[in-house]
Amino acid sequence: MPIYFGNNFAKEPFQFDSVGNNWEQESVNRPNGFPLFHYLQTQKGTGIINIYYKDELSSDHKISQTIELSKGQGILIAPYIPHSYHNKNAPLHSWQTEFATFTGSMEPAFKDIFTENGYWIIDEYKGKEISAAISRAMQHFKERGNDTRTLSVDCYNIMLLLADQTNHSHGKDDPVFSKFIKPVIDTIEDHYMEDISAQQLANSVFVSQQYLSRIFSEFLNCSVYEYLTNYRINKAKELLLLNSKRKIQDIALDVGYSDASHFIVMFKKLSGMTPAQFRKLHI
């Protein structure tokens, strides 16, 4: 289970904090996230990744998205995004992973390379290229671990591969978009005010929730849950302005939230202010 750590005193623009492969992955729980960009990819077995959001009213962490990582699939998680992961099939089968964490003098600009999402799912096709790049970097660590310039180039190459995946856009005439994503979008637009879930939306197009979330991320750079939430909050903004006397809890019901407190938390999470503050700002 080889793992290498970067030189903490190096001043290269891109450098590894750590990189490894053939790792017998144990369960990890990070309620405050990891301080650096963290990439994790399955080599063998299956892992379950949970991404959390913080409930500002209770200070608890609740699951925002669950992602299943099969062989060759990976996930890039931004700094300080609360998350946990574990082996889906423990103890019968192991979960073997490869990984890399990134730092460097260009770290403040890292987010500009990627989209604004807190995590990005990498498919098995791009995963093959990233796996090869990790192997090359580890070979360079083994042969010339003090050559920080070469290792910086290795790090940058992996980041470019990740950025190419996250910025990749498929045309809306793509059969996958037409068959799975468009019907789900139509359902959300017609039924956002009802009690619908990501699982129900996946069932409506006869695929797993994990698969639907993955292709949503590939086409739209967000999960199904995030798309539904964003659509509901945008509708709430319209109603807050069009119905200035309507109570906040009633508008929450109008856009599919039976719990007004949860609605306020999600509204603030996406817009940076409460519904009342939004209404006051615009009216």
Side-chain angles (χ1 to χ4, degrees):
M1 300 192 301
I3 181 173
Y4 295 97
F5 294 95
N7 183 346
N8 291 330
F9 300 103
K11 301 297 182 183
E12 301 295 345
F14 304 95
Q15 62 189 69
F16 294 106
D17 177 68
S18 65
V19 62
N21 62 10
N22 302 319
W23 191 261
E24 295 297 326
Q25 187 65 61
E26 297 181 352
S27 297
V28 169
N29 182 34
R30 297 189 177 112
N32 297 313
F34 189 76
L36 304 174
F37 275 99
H38 175 212
Y39 180 69
L40 183 72
Q41 181 169 311
T42 295
Q43 289 182 286
K44 178 183 176 182
T46 305
I48 299 295
I49 317 295
N50 289 317
I51 305 293
Y52 300 93
Y53 72 89
K54 187 175 181 180
D55 188 330
E56 297 181 13
L57 296 180
S58 66
S59 298
D60 292 334
H61 287 84
K62 298 183 179 180
I63 295 177
S64 168
Q65 184 65 30
T66 297
I67 300 117
E68 184 173 304
L69 284 192
S70 300
K71 182 177 179 180
Q73 297 174 343
I75 185 170
L76 176 68
I77 306 174
Y80 302 110
I81 298 297
H83 64 273
S84 66
Y85 44 83
H86 64 273
N87 181 358
K88 178 183 179 181
N89 299 311
L92 296 178
H93 302 285
S94 65
W95 178 30
Q96 196 173 89
T97 65
E98 50 193 329
F99 57 87
T101 56
F102 311 101
T103 184
S105 62
M106 288 291 291
E107 184 176 350
F110 283 6
K111 290 184 179 179
D112 293 337
I113 299 177
F114 305 102
T115 65
E116 295 181 356
N117 287 335
Y119 66 93
W120 303 272
I121 300 173
I122 306 302
D123 63 37
E124 56 270 29
Y125 304 103
K126 184 60 64 176
K128 290 180 181 179
E129 296 182 77
I130 295 172
S131 180
I134 287 176
S135 295
R136 284 194 300 271
M138 295 189 65
Q139 188 65 29
H140 288 156
F141 263 108
K142 182 178 180 180
E143 295 174 350
R144 36 182 170 164
N146 293 323
D147 187 351
T148 58
R149 182 65 59 83
T150 296
L151 295 173
S152 182
V153 172
D154 288 337
C155 181
Y156 183 57
N157 284 338
I158 292 176
M159 293 183 70
L160 285 179
L161 289 171
L162 292 168
D164 177 61
Q165 171 74 10
T166 58
N167 291 327
H168 181 58
S169 59
H170 302 265
K172 291 188 177 181
D173 57 348
D174 188 299
V176 173
F177 185 93
S178 301
K179 185 175 182 179
F180 300 115
I181 295 181
K182 181 61 165 59
V184 169
I185 289 175
D186 290 342
T187 299
I188 289 173
E189 293 179 354
D190 292 338
H191 300 281
Y192 67 89
M193 72 294 294
E194 300 173 13
D195 183 18
I196 55 175
S197 66
Q199 183 62 64
Q200 289 171 321
L201 291 168
N203 292 343
S204 72
V205 288
F206 307 102
V207 296
S208 70
Q209 183 180 342
Q210 291 79 14
Y211 176 77
L212 186 63
S213 182
R214 178 160 67 85
I215 61 175
F216 254 71
S217 294
E218 291 176 7
F219 281 83
L220 303 175
N221 286 323
C222 67
S223 69
V224 182
Y225 173 81
E226 289 166 337
Y227 188 94
L228 173 61
T229 300
N230 186 69
Y231 192 85
R232 282 172 162 167
I233 297 305
N234 283 339
K235 283 294 180 182
K237 290 177 180 179
E238 295 178 16
L239 295 175
L240 284 164
L241 302 185
L242 293 174
N243 303 280
S244 60
K245 302 299 182 181
R246 191 161 175 77
K247 294 180 180 179
I248 300 298
Q249 55 265 39
D250 292 334
I251 288 180
L253 289 171
D254 291 341
V255 297
Y257 287 95
S258 58
D259 182 350
S261 297
H262 185 210
F263 166 67
I264 293 170
V265 168
M266 299 310 297
F267 192 100
K268 186 175 182 180
K269 184 173 185 284
L270 268 66
S271 65
M273 64 187 78
T274 66
Q277 290 169 335
F278 176 85
R279 174 180 273 169
K280 185 176 180 181
L281 182 65
H282 291 85
I283 296 179

